[in-house]
């Protein structure tokens, strides 16, 4: 199975990604999305990279770099809260390079991840959490088939006040347990 579509590819995080990972993880504009409360040191990120090779079944998460033309990293895609028994995982995406936003790259990256998750990992469902005011992410996830199944009221405390968060699911209808 190829983790590539058109000029978008997903790849494992490499030790050489430390500087860009350090920049993205410590950009405070993304902290509310990832529930980050403090900056990451390069030491902590290096420790994470030391374990990034772990199988998703052991680590319960998988982070991949989104690349354009196989050379330019523009963001990250995460599977988190991986639960092989219940056959589900959460999805997070970041297109950190502002110049690359709005070009359809996130849509292509999500489609690749969905195919990988359903065909290779044989997951029954994917889910994501999106604040109700994040219209860009809502449109993105709905475009690839996610459905809003509920709203968590006053779920996230932010500098602007409390925000509601929607729970979205994508159910793999092609994979049923007998």
């Amino acid at each position: 199975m190829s983790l590539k579509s058109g000029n978008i590819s997903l790849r494992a995080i490499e030790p050489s990604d430390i500087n860009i990972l350090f920049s993205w993880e410590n950009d405070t504009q993304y902290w509310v999305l990832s529930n980050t409360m403090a900056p990451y040191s390069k030491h902590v990120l290096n420790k994470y990279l030391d374990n990034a090779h772990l199988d998703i079944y052991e680590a319960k998460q998988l982070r991949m770099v989104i690349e354009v033309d196989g050379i330019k990293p523009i963001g990250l895609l995460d599977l988190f809260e991986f639960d092989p028994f219940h056959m589900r995982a959460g999805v997070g995406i970041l297109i950190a390079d502002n110049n690359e936003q709005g070009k359809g790259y996130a849509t292509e990256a999500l489609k690749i991840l969905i195919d990988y998750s359903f065909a290779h990992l044989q997951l029954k469902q994917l889910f994501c959490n999106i604040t109700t005011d994040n219209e860009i992410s809502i449109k993105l996830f709905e475009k690839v088939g996610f459905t809003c199944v509920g709203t968590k009221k006053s779920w996230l405390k932010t500098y602007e006040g409390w925000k509601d968060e929607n729970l979205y699911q994508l159910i793999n209808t092609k994979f049923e347990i007998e």
Side-chain angles (χ1 to χ4, degrees), residues 10-23:
L10 306 180
R11 66 162 175 82
I13 292 180
E14 299 286 346
S16 60
D17 293 320
I18 186 67
N19 288 331
I20 198 160
L21 192 61
F22 181 78
S23 170

Side-chain angles (χ1 to χ4, degrees), residues 75-90:
L76 299 169
L77 199 49
D78 293 326
L79 285 177
F80 60 90
E81 295 180 23
F82 175 72
D83 186 332
F85 180 78
H86 294 291
M87 303 166 65
R88 66 179 173 233

Side-chain angles (χ1 to χ4, degrees), residues 104-124:
Y105 296 150
T107 302
E108 280 306 307
L110 274 177
K111 287 178 180 178
I112 296 167
L113 182 75
I114 291 165
D115 288 344
Y116 170 76
S117 298
F118 289 170
H120 185 73
L121 297 176
Q122 296 188 355
L123 296 182
K124 170 70 175 158

Side-chain angles (χ1 to χ4, degrees), residues 32-52:
V32 70
L33 304 173
S34 61
N35 294 319
T36 302
M37 300 300 292
Y40 287 95
S41 68
K42 282 192 177 178
H43 174 74
V44 167
L45 291 174
N46 274 317
K47 284 185 167 279
Y48 169 78
L49 289 173
D50 288 343
N51 292 313

